Amino acid sequence: MIQFHEASHTYTLDGVDLPSVTHICRFLAYDYKSDEPWLAEAAARRGTAVHEACALIDYGEEPEESAQIAGYLNAYRRFLKDYRPDWELIEHPMGTLELGYAGTLDRYGTLYDGRTCILDIKTGQLYSAALRAQLTAYQALLPPRYHCTHLYALKLSADGTYQLREVPADRALLDACLFLNNATERKKRT
């Protein structure tokens, strides 16, 4: 069974440490090695709070809403009303030794018109390359019994609006990230 270690943002499967999808795709992140890391930390805390609250909404509960995340939650509720998703997996950790990485899928399910999808919730900017690699990585981890026809990024904004963007799969970009990650990790060990 996959285990997530929040402090190191790593996963363990059968006693083997696996890097996260986020870690593998870090080379494509806009703020990778930023000179203002506190901004990335604040955005990460906000994103975590929004993700947790959206999961509660999906489970039929009412989350505690601070002023900092209320607009994002209003945007999520609008998305739910517009697309009426039937989620099968919510904040679902998964990983394989074969692929050598793990991650937590935000959502997998079916939209009102029958599209099956992986959906990743974002509260910041949508960076195309990073999204392609990240969502392709989740699609590769998805167990075979789940059929996925679409990959989406859902950007929630503080003003209560949202943007749903379809993201094309990009296995070559994911493979490049995996190559860079593995090379970097090998270099650290020598």
Side-chain angles (χ1 to χ4, degrees):
M1 182 169 164
I2 192 89
Q3 295 178 324
F4 176 62
H5 309 284
E6 194 168 338
S8 61
H9 199 80
T10 57
Y11 297 80
T12 303
L13 179 63
D14 298 334
V16 177
D17 290 336
L18 297 173
S20 69
V21 169
T22 303
H23 183 74
I24 289 168
C25 297
R26 72 191 180 278
F27 305 102
L28 301 172
Y30 178 74
D31 59 357
Y32 178 61
K33 294 190 175 184
S34 168
D35 58 347
E36 297 176 327
W38 60 89
L39 294 176
E41 291 168 12
R45 281 192 304 275
R46 180 189 66 228
T48 297
V50 170
H51 272 77
E52 290 171 355
C54 288
L56 288 173
I57 291 169
D58 287 331
Y59 287 122
E61 299 179 31
E62 278 303 314
E64 198 172 301
E65 290 190 42
S66 67
Q68 291 82 11
I69 67 168
Y72 298 97
L73 299 185
N74 289 336
Y76 189 63
R77 289 182 182 104
R78 284 190 175 107
F79 163 78
L80 292 176
K81 182 180 176 194
D82 292 345
Y83 285 88
R84 301 184 306 280
D86 179 18
W87 300 131
E88 293 180 52
L89 302 174
I90 298 170
E91 298 296 334
H92 182 74
M94 53 190 184
T96 70
L97 296 176
E98 180 183 334
L99 294 175
Y101 64 88
T104 299
L105 175 76
D106 287 356
R107 304 289 185 279
Y108 167 82
T110 306
L111 303 181
Y112 73 95
D113 60 1
R115 286 177 281 174
T116 56
C117 69
I118 289 173
L119 180 124
D120 197 70
I121 297 170
K122 299 292 187 190
T123 58
Q125 296 301 313
L126 300 181
Y127 298 107
S128 183
L131 287 170
R132 291 193 324 266
Q134 179 188 17
L135 291 171
T136 301
Y138 292 142
Q139 187 176 35
L141 288 174
L142 198 63
R145 69 179 175 272
Y146 297 104
H147 178 68
C148 177
T149 58
H150 294 81
L151 304 174
Y152 291 109
L154 175 65
K155 180 185 178 189
L156 305 176
S157 298
D159 66 1
T161 61
Y162 71 86
Q163 175 189 1
L164 184 66
R165 179 187 294 177
E166 187 159 9
V167 177
D170 192 335
R171 185 61 203 214
L173 186 58
L174 172 60
D175 288 345
C177 289
L178 288 165
F179 176 83
L180 287 170
N181 181 71
N182 293 339
T184 303
E185 294 303 315
R186 277 193 305 274
K187 188 175 179 179
K188 284 182 188 176
R189 290 190 294 265
T190 59

